[in-house]
Amino acid sequence: MEVAFPIIDLSTINGEERGATMDMIKDACENWGFFELMNHGISHELMDTVEKLTNEHYKKCMKERFKEMVTSKGLKVVQSEITGMDWESTFFLRHLPESNLYEILDLEDDYRKVMKQFAVELEKLPEKLLKILCENLGLEQGYLKKVFYGSKGPTFGTKVSNYPLCLKPNLIKGLRAHTDAGGIILLFQDDKVSGLQLLKDDQ
């Protein structure tokens, strides 16, 4: 049975459809723990640039490293299912409490600049969502932000991942089944390869 996946259009949150949108968010949080966001306020141009520069960085700096790792672990000739690793090439950008943007030596200056701009735009979105969730739950404004803030301020970062072509896709998963840690997780979907799965009601 096909189940309607929750898609929230944030542009309707301040108009006549506000009530219906709030109901959809409430249902998505209660019954899914997950929803897709449209019209979230981050420009498509910026997202396209982030995607383009991320792909360029992978090809230039990470592709060979990943190939070497595959060879060293004998994964080209694997015959049975691999359950203890992810088929993922990744690095982590920390934005708060302290940025590590200039500690990652192989990033190009234009990539650093774009990721810094992206982080500024990205930070606004969970703040907006936390306000909406407070209202939805009947909590005083700022309550969730305060809860997630912690004693040393919020932790905020971007995990940058590439999923290289896999020779044995039936034996190795891009990312194993997991539960994300953190207050709000924002996933940047690839518009060409549909690979995201989530578990709901044991399906």
Side-chain angles (χ1 to χ4, degrees):
M1 184 180 83
E2 196 69 29
V3 182
F5 186 86
I7 299 173
I8 309 297
D9 184 348
L10 266 191
S11 68
T12 62
I13 203 73
N14 294 318
E16 292 176 7
E17 298 171 58
R18 180 179 177 80
T21 303
M22 292 295 270
D23 286 345
M24 285 175 69
I25 292 171
K26 184 173 186 287
D27 178 69
C29 290
E30 285 182 355
N31 298 306
W32 292 78
F34 199 99
F35 51 85
E36 184 170 351
L37 271 179
M38 290 173 57
N39 298 314
H40 40 64
I42 302 173
S43 79
H44 288 286
E45 290 78 14
L46 178 57
M47 291 175 72
D48 287 347
T49 304
V50 167
E51 188 171 21
K52 174 178 169 283
L53 292 178
T54 296
N55 289 334
E56 285 175 5
H57 174 74
Y58 169 74
K59 286 173 189 163
K60 184 179 175 186
C61 301
M62 301 179 76
K63 190 174 182 178
E64 280 308 312
R65 276 183 242 161
F66 189 81
K67 276 185 182 175
E68 286 166 14
M69 182 276 291
V70 168
T71 303
S72 70
K73 293 193 174 184
L75 295 172
K76 284 182 180 176
V77 293
V78 67
Q79 298 299 318
S80 57
E81 188 177 359
I82 300 285
T83 56
M85 69 162 287
D86 301 317
W87 193 265
E88 178 190 40
S89 173
T90 185
F91 66 97
F92 190 79
L93 291 175
R94 190 176 62 251
H95 309 302
L96 293 173
E98 280 184 33
S99 173
N100 68 345
L101 198 56
Y102 292 92
E103 294 168 22
I104 301 172
L105 300 177
D106 58 10
L107 298 184
E108 299 276 347
D109 285 343
D110 58 343
Y111 190 28
R112 277 201 184 94
K113 188 177 173 185
V114 164
M115 291 308 277
K116 194 172 182 178
Q117 183 189 352
F118 186 50
V120 169
E121 294 301 314
L122 212 52
E123 193 178 359
K124 295 173 189 172
L125 184 52
E127 294 230 347
K128 189 187 294 185
L129 289 173
L130 287 174
K131 285 178 183 174
I132 291 167
L133 294 179
C134 275
E135 184 180 337
N136 232 324
L137 291 165
L139 298 169
E140 62 179 283
Q141 269 308 329
Y143 178 84
L144 288 174
K145 182 179 178 181
K146 189 178 171 186
V147 169
F148 288 135
Y149 206 80
S151 58
K152 296 177 182 173
T155 299
F156 164 45
T158 304
K159 181 184 177 190
V160 185
S161 300
N162 279 85
Y163 300 95
L165 184 67
C166 183
L167 300 171
K168 304 284 178 95
N170 56 321
L171 298 178
I172 308 176
K173 289 185 172 67
L175 208 54
R176 291 164 289 173
H178 64 283
T179 301
D180 282 342
I184 289 184
I185 308 294
L186 300 171
L187 292 171
F188 188 145
Q189 283 246 73
D190 189 305
D191 58 353
K192 297 177 188 72
V193 181
S194 176
L196 182 64
Q197 293 179 313
L198 66 128
L199 182 68
K200 177 179 172 6
D201 302 331
D202 296 322
Q203 292 186 32

